[in-house]
mmCIF file of all heavy atoms in Angstrom:
data_model
loop_
_atom_site.group_PDB
_atom_site.id
_atom_site.type_symbol
_atom_site.label_atom_id
_atom_site.label_comp_id
_atom_site.label_asym_id
_atom_site.label_seq_id
_atom_site.Cartn_x
_atom_site.Cartn_y
_atom_site.Cartn_z
ATOM 1 N N LYS A 283 -17.373 -9.643 10.122
ATOM 2 C CA LYS A 283 -18.113 -10.420 9.073
ATOM 3 C C LYS A 283 -17.353 -10.274 7.816
ATOM 4 O O LYS A 283 -17.103 -9.263 7.317
ATOM 5 C CB LYS A 283 -19.505 -9.862 8.900
ATOM 6 C CG LYS A 283 -20.220 -10.492 7.667
ATOM 7 C CD LYS A 283 -21.717 -10.061 7.518
ATOM 8 C CE LYS A 283 -22.228 -10.515 6.245
ATOM 9 N NZ LYS A 283 -23.656 -10.093 6.069
ATOM 10 N N VAL A 285 -18.105 -11.887 4.756
ATOM 11 C CA VAL A 285 -18.647 -12.615 3.603
ATOM 12 C C VAL A 285 -18.106 -11.915 2.286
ATOM 13 O O VAL A 285 -18.444 -10.794 1.895
ATOM 14 C CB VAL A 285 -20.194 -12.541 3.765
ATOM 15 C CG1 VAL A 285 -20.876 -13.069 2.492
ATOM 16 C CG2 VAL A 285 -20.600 -13.354 4.860
ATOM 17 N N ASP A 288 -21.918 -11.913 -1.098
ATOM 18 C CA ASP A 288 -23.180 -12.377 -0.604
ATOM 19 C C ASP A 288 -24.368 -12.367 -1.682
ATOM 20 O O ASP A 288 -24.906 -11.373 -2.027
ATOM 21 C CB ASP A 288 -23.680 -11.543 0.521
ATOM 22 C CG ASP A 288 -25.019 -12.039 1.165
ATOM 23 O OD1 ASP A 288 -25.478 -13.193 0.607
ATOM 24 O OD2 ASP A 288 -25.637 -11.236 1.940
ATOM 25 N N SER A 289 -24.522 -13.468 -2.378
ATOM 26 C CA SER A 289 -25.484 -13.681 -3.565
ATOM 27 C C SER A 289 -26.855 -13.851 -2.823
ATOM 28 O O SER A 289 -27.938 -13.770 -3.524
ATOM 29 C CB SER A 289 -25.184 -14.780 -4.419
ATOM 30 O OG SER A 289 -25.326 -16.104 -3.838
ATOM 31 N N GLY A 290 -26.799 -14.046 -1.630
ATOM 32 C CA GLY A 290 -27.999 -14.568 -0.900
ATOM 33 C C GLY A 290 -28.221 -16.087 -0.807
ATOM 34 O O GLY A 290 -28.974 -16.604 -0.076
ATOM 35 N N LYS A 295 -30.636 -13.124 -3.881
ATOM 36 C CA LYS A 295 -30.968 -11.689 -3.907
ATOM 37 C C LYS A 295 -31.448 -11.299 -5.296
ATOM 38 O O LYS A 295 -31.213 -12.048 -6.291
ATOM 39 C CB LYS A 295 -29.710 -10.873 -3.581
ATOM 40 C CG LYS A 295 -29.261 -10.889 -2.176
ATOM 41 C CD LYS A 295 -28.111 -9.831 -1.889
ATOM 42 C CE LYS A 295 -27.661 -9.965 -0.381
ATOM 43 N NZ LYS A 295 -28.719 -9.599 0.510
ATOM 44 N N MET A 303 -22.609 -6.430 -3.047
ATOM 45 C CA MET A 303 -22.390 -7.373 -2.077
ATOM 46 C C MET A 303 -20.816 -7.947 -1.923
ATOM 47 O O MET A 303 -20.552 -8.760 -1.293
ATOM 48 C CB MET A 303 -23.289 -8.541 -2.204
ATOM 49 C CG MET A 303 -24.759 -8.121 -1.620
ATOM 50 S SD MET A 303 -24.631 -7.662 0.136
ATOM 51 C CE MET A 303 -25.515 -6.050 -0.070
ATOM 52 N N ASP A 306 -19.511 -7.056 1.304
ATOM 53 C CA ASP A 306 -20.121 -7.791 2.520
ATOM 54 C C ASP A 306 -18.983 -8.283 3.539
ATOM 55 O O ASP A 306 -19.347 -8.780 4.501
ATOM 56 C CB ASP A 306 -21.098 -8.782 2.109
ATOM 57 C CG ASP A 306 -22.186 -9.047 3.077
ATOM 58 O OD1 ASP A 306 -22.491 -8.165 3.930
ATOM 59 O OD2 ASP A 306 -22.888 -10.169 2.998
ATOM 60 N N ASN A 338 -21.105 -16.650 0.067
ATOM 61 C CA ASN A 338 -22.415 -17.201 0.151
ATOM 62 C C ASN A 338 -23.029 -17.323 -1.367
ATOM 63 O O ASN A 338 -23.467 -16.412 -1.933
ATOM 64 C CB ASN A 338 -23.378 -16.294 0.911
ATOM 65 C CG ASN A 338 -24.812 -16.738 1.145
ATOM 66 O OD1 ASN A 338 -24.969 -17.985 1.199
ATOM 67 N ND2 ASN A 338 -25.667 -15.932 1.597
ATOM 68 N N THR A 364 -31.420 -18.284 3.560
ATOM 69 C CA THR A 364 -29.916 -18.439 3.403
ATOM 70 C C THR A 364 -29.353 -17.177 3.126
ATOM 71 O O THR A 364 -28.121 -17.001 3.172
ATOM 72 C CB THR A 364 -29.636 -19.381 2.196
ATOM 73 O OG1 THR A 364 -30.098 -18.805 0.991
ATOM 74 C CG2 THR A 364 -30.313 -20.738 2.321
ATOM 75 N N ASP A 365 -30.012 -16.048 3.038
ATOM 76 C CA ASP A 365 -29.543 -14.642 2.946
ATOM 77 C C ASP A 365 -29.286 -14.033 4.167
ATOM 78 O O ASP A 365 -28.527 -12.966 4.388
ATOM 79 C CB ASP A 365 -30.436 -13.835 2.078
ATOM 80 C CG ASP A 365 -29.776 -12.541 1.487
ATOM 81 O OD1 ASP A 365 -28.547 -12.496 1.612
ATOM 82 O OD2 ASP A 365 -30.450 -11.651 1.073
ATOM 83 N N ALA A 366 -29.803 -14.660 5.315
ATOM 84 C CA ALA A 366 -29.336 -14.198 6.751
ATOM 85 C C ALA A 366 -28.036 -14.967 7.157
ATOM 86 O O ALA A 366 -28.050 -15.738 8.114
ATOM 87 C CB ALA A 366 -30.543 -14.363 7.702
ATOM 88 N N GLU A 367 -27.017 -14.895 6.330
ATOM 89 C CA GLU A 367 -25.784 -15.685 6.597
ATOM 90 C C GLU A 367 -24.712 -15.099 7.544
ATOM 91 O O GLU A 367 -23.975 -15.780 8.088
ATOM 92 C CB GLU A 367 -25.201 -16.048 5.175
ATOM 93 C CG GLU A 367 -24.215 -14.928 4.648
ATOM 94 C CD GLU A 367 -24.839 -13.537 4.366
ATOM 95 O OE1 GLU A 367 -26.146 -13.550 4.294
ATOM 96 O OE2 GLU A 367 -24.193 -12.540 4.406
ATOM 97 N N GLY A 368 -24.776 -13.765 7.637
ATOM 98 C CA GLY A 368 -23.850 -13.007 8.397
ATOM 99 C C GLY A 368 -23.753 -13.465 9.823
ATOM 100 O O GLY A 368 -22.689 -13.674 10.385
ATOM 101 N N LEU A 394 -24.537 -6.293 8.383
ATOM 102 C CA LEU A 394 -25.385 -7.361 8.694
ATOM 103 C C LEU A 394 -26.846 -7.332 8.202
ATOM 104 O O LEU A 394 -27.391 -8.277 7.832
ATOM 105 C CB LEU A 394 -25.397 -7.452 10.316
ATOM 106 C CG LEU A 394 -25.819 -8.957 10.786
ATOM 107 C CD1 LEU A 394 -24.845 -9.933 10.238
ATOM 108 C CD2 LEU A 394 -25.943 -9.139 12.276
HETATM 109 MN MN1 MN B 602 -27.218 -12.073 3.115
#
Side-chain angles (χ1 to χ4, degrees):
K283 169 177 172 181
V285 173
D288 180 12
S289 70
K295 286 185 184 297
M303 286 304 128
D306 212 17
N338 189 21
T364 62
D365 199 11
E367 84 298 338
L394 205 61

